[in-house]
Amino acid sequence: MKTVFVVGAGPAGLFAAQKIALGGHEVIVLNRDIKPGGLAEYGIYPTKDKMKNGLRKQFAKVLGLPNVHYLGGVAVSNESALTIPHLREFAPQAMVFAVGAQGTKKLGLPGEDARGVYAAKDFVYHYNSLPPFAAQDFSIGKRVAIVGMGNVMVDIAHWLLVDAPVKTAEDIVVVARRGPFEAKFDVKEFNYIEKYLDRDAFQEELKRIQPLLRAVGQDCANVADDTFPVLNKPADRVSGGRLRFRFLCSPQAIHSDAAGRIDRLTVSENVLYEREGSIGCKATDQTADLDVDTMIFAIGDVADPSVGLPYDRDAYVTNPETADTKGASYEIFDPQGGHALEGIYAVGWARKASDGLVGIARHDGEVGAANVLKYLETAPDGTSISAQELLARLEQKGVQTVNKADLEHLTRAEDQEAQARGVPWHKFGHDDAMLRAIEAQKAKESAV
Ligand SMILES: Cc1cc2nc3c(=O)[nH]c(=O)nc-3n(C[C@H](O)[C@H](O)[C@H](O)COP(=O)(O)OP(=O)(O)OC[C@H]3O[C@@H](n4cnc5c(N)ncnc54)[C@H](O)[C@@H]3O)c2cc1C
């Protein structure tokens, strides 16, 4: 029996932990957030209760395994009390990094730091009540640009138009660098917001870009059957904010008002071209200004360099020599030393940022875990730290952690809080509030 640290308790980390634990090894999961689940808890749309609860049950089953230990509230990073060199001192036989894609893709635009400009992930964390984002200012104005045309854009528009407790957004414009045929969202997700689509504005926009689409053999007459089936349905506009699309343009500069908040977005006008069977775009020297007071980038994320793994071109470096037939490699590679970091692996969105749904992250975690199990067959035994000792060492460093029993107390405390408030669910949006709730729940339960 060997010991494996799994860093990150999203779907990829937890399903990797399960497979390694069922292979007969001790697994210690270290997770930045107090609660497990990653984006399944703090990313998936808040009202998708059924899916979220189903996943929570599966995660609880993983954490119920006696040889899976959980330490929540522990970030492994060059910027925190626990770094990768520290983890190495504890001598696990292998480490699996399942930290997701916590880095932000910066576009390097002038004015990018203006108030009212947000990365989608941070905003999604905010409305899903993840500390510290839950308590940060993500004020939304009346005119919102969402950059990107995938499911995350749809989730954000859905939140702003339908479920935000205070709905300020009157005009949401989706800024897309390519055209309507390159929309990446799932139609069933778009159904949630289709009633807000300003159809007249959409038709006007199609008319404007028709000549540019024609240049690559696309015909606006096919948009409804292809990517926007809402156009085949009878119009059923509801009151509230309106949703528009601005195709074939890319953000170029952000301008702000005297208070430092975005008040205008300059975009470059793009043209399309065909590239090995797919459609690419390139900027022209023409620009346009969009009158917006809020801007949210939903263009995918990148790996977080501060974790301390070898990093290149927005991703952790993996060993090209151990890539499988699909080109996927799980073993971390040091490009400077020119060798693999033995026993260190990446899985899920940490390995390939913003890649697909939970099922894909699960599969990736399990394939990565299979690689780890194979490695462990011949890995030297050594003496690794136990979960108990690790806990003591973290306490010495002043790191407060949450264990599996604490999580159960937290779940009950949140359920009772939801009941008391008469709402379907409640999440504490501060780490301190969660820790206090755990202690209060323990006291309450030990008193009966
Ligand atoms: C807005 C949004 C909506 C989505 N909606 C859906 C949906 O409806 N259905 C669906 O199937 N999929 C959905 N997905 C995709 C799904 O959430 C991902 O496929 C999946 O969560 C990726 O899993 P992961 O474990 O690789 O990463 P994550 O889920 O991001 O988990 C990463 C974990 O690592 C931890 N961590 C991060 N940094 C550190 C560190 N330095 N040290 C220790 N721990 C760390 C985090 O606390 C977290 O627990 C959505 C994604 C987004 C962004």
Side-chain angles (χ1 to χ4, degrees):
M1 185 181 67
K2 289 169 178 153
T3 297
V4 178
F5 291 174
V6 172
V7 184
L14 288 171
F15 288 115
Q18 174 170 261
K19 191 164 174 102
I20 297 166
L22 294 177
H25 302 285
E26 285 290 301
V27 179
I28 303 179
V29 179
L30 300 149
N31 192 41
R32 177 197 66 189
D33 307 333
I34 285 180
K35 282 200 213 179
L39 284 166
E41 179 66 40
Y42 292 113
I44 291 181
Y45 200 74
T47 57
K48 288 187 179 171
D49 290 351
K50 215 169 146 202
M51 180 192 290
K52 286 194 162 199
N53 284 331
L55 287 166
R56 284 182 192 127
K57 277 191 192 134
Q58 294 185 49
F59 299 153
K61 203 171 135 212
V62 176
L63 294 179
L65 293 171
N67 52 339
V68 173
H69 310 271
Y70 182 79
L71 299 174
V74 186
V76 175
S77 138
N78 291 339
E79 291 160 9
S80 67
L82 194 66
T83 62
I84 292 178
H86 292 135
L87 292 186
R88 282 178 181 279
E89 283 170 24
F90 303 140
Q93 274 78 32
M95 290 196 252
V96 179
F97 284 85
V99 291
Q102 309 299 333
T104 299
K105 216 186 252 179
K106 282 268 173 190
L107 291 184
L109 299 181
E112 206 167 22
D113 296 332
R115 282 180 44 231
V117 177
Y118 311 123
K121 169 170 49 62
D122 299 353
F123 183 59
V124 165
Y125 278 162
H126 170 74
Y127 69 64
N128 271 293
S129 305
L130 173 67
F133 302 91
Q136 290 170 355
D137 171 30
F138 283 90
S139 55
I140 300 294
K142 291 184 176 169
R143 301 175 311 279
V144 183
I146 309 177
V147 182
M149 229 182 355
N151 284 331
V152 175
M153 173 281 287
V154 175
D155 272 9
I156 289 172
H158 186 180
W159 179 256
L160 297 177
L161 292 165
V162 183
D163 289 309
V166 183
K167 289 182 256 310
T168 57
E170 293 172 0
D171 182 38
I172 296 181
V173 57
V174 176
V175 173
R177 64 196 167 119
R178 292 181 288 168
F181 291 99
E182 284 73 50
K184 289 279 173 281
F185 51 76
D186 294 328
V187 169
K188 78 173 184 1
E189 298 293 331
F190 194 76
N191 287 346
Y192 292 111
I193 53 172
E194 64 183 21
K195 289 185 177 172
Y196 296 86
L197 183 68
D198 182 331
R199 295 209 190 184
D200 292 342
F202 196 85
Q203 293 301 344
E204 277 299 306
E205 179 64 357
L206 290 186
K207 215 187 284 169
R208 184 185 74 83
I209 61 171
Q210 173 70 77
L212 296 164
L213 300 192
R214 226 179 264 132
V216 290
Q218 295 178 337
D219 183 348
C220 281
N222 299 328
V223 168
D225 289 340
D226 197 332
T227 39
F228 284 84
V230 55
L231 301 175
N232 286 326
K233 297 184 188 173
D236 184 17
R237 178 91 168 80
V238 288
S239 61
R242 70 171 183 151
L243 179 69
R244 295 186 293 128
F245 280 74
R246 180 62 165 81
F247 295 112
L248 296 175
C249 66
S250 300
Q252 198 183 66
I254 291 162
H255 311 273
S256 29
D257 61 17
R261 186 172 182 104
I262 177 173
D263 68 352
R264 188 161 50 93
L265 170 66
T266 301
V267 293
S268 62
E269 303 284 13
N270 296 339
V271 288
L272 298 176
Y273 63 92
E274 284 185 81
R275 183 183 51 185
E276 292 163 9
S278 68
I279 299 294
C281 67
K282 59 179 180 237
T284 65
D285 53 11
Q286 284 174 21
T287 61
D289 278 356
L290 307 183
D291 178 19
V292 297
D293 56 23
T294 309
M295 178 174 175
I296 304 175
F297 285 102
I299 53 172
D301 296 302
V302 297
D304 172 8
S306 77
V307 168
L309 293 171
Y311 192 86
D312 186 34
R313 279 175 285 174
D314 291 343
Y316 303 129
V317 185
T318 52
N319 188 357
E321 283 174 19
T322 53
D324 63 20
T325 47
K326 291 184 189 144
S329 173
Y330 292 83
E331 192 181 29
I332 297 291
F333 187 78
D334 172 7
Q336 266 156 12
H339 56 83
L341 294 185
E342 209 179 302
I344 304 191
Y345 296 82
V347 296
W349 281 24
R351 193 183 70 75
K352 195 167 176 205
S354 304
D355 185 35
L357 298 177
V358 166
I360 293 185
R362 174 184 186 151
H363 177 73
D364 208 66
E366 290 175 346
V367 175
N371 280 261
V372 175
L373 288 172
K374 189 145 190 30
Y375 167 77
L376 291 176
E377 284 172 14
T378 52
D381 275 338
T383 343
S384 174
I385 199 165
S386 69
Q388 213 47 42
E389 284 167 283
L390 179 58
L391 184 61
R393 300 282 283 276
L394 290 176
E395 275 170 6
Q396 278 167 12
K397 285 178 179 290
V399 180
Q400 191 175 1
T401 63
V402 162
N403 63 23
K404 294 198 271 189
D406 294 334
L407 287 181
E408 287 172 15
H409 284 108
L410 181 59
T411 304
R412 287 195 289 277
E414 289 191 334
D415 286 350
Q416 287 168 18
E417 189 68 30
Q419 244 174 8
R421 292 171 184 237
V423 291
W425 50 267
H426 177 76
K427 285 184 188 179
F428 295 105
H430 284 271
D431 283 347
D432 285 349
M434 280 193 240
L435 297 173
R436 278 199 305 274
I438 291 168
E439 289 314 314
Q441 191 69 20
K442 273 187 202 162
K444 200 158 117 189
E445 291 180 16
S446 64
V448 288

